[in-house]
Amino acid sequence: MAWFMMASVAMLGSDVWAQAEDAEPLRPPRVGDAPSSPKFLVMGVIIVLLALVVVAVTLKTKRGHQD
C-alpha cells in the first residue's frame, strides 16, 4: 500500500517538476527609480525628533505655591 501511495504522489508531482525545469530562475524585481531621500537624512530626522521627545518628557514641571 505504501508503494502505491508513493507512486501516485510521484506521478502527481511530475507536472510540477517538468515546469520547474523549463522556467527561468527567480530574480528580485528591478527598481527603476532611485530612493527619494538618503537614508542617513531620514535617520537624522528621526533621531532629532526622538531627542526632542526625551527632553520634553524629562523636563521638570514648575509647580506653583499650592503644593
Side-chain angles (χ1 to χ4, degrees):
M1 185 67 172
W3 288 104
F4 175 73
M5 291 174 64
M6 287 176 53
S8 62
V9 168
M11 293 182 85
L12 289 174
S14 63
D15 292 335
V16 174
W17 286 110
Q19 290 178 1
E21 290 175 2
D22 295 335
E24 295 181 9
L26 294 177
R27 296 185 186 119
R30 292 185 180 182
V31 178
D33 298 335
S36 60
S37 63
K39 292 181 182 178
F40 66 88
L41 181 64
V42 174
M43 291 300 290
V45 170
I46 290 172
I47 289 172
V48 168
L49 289 176
L50 285 175
L52 288 173
V53 169
V54 169
V55 168
V57 168
T58 57
L59 284 176
K60 292 187 177 186
T61 58
K62 183 177 180 181
R63 297 182 178 226
H65 64 281
Q66 299 171 347
D67 285 343

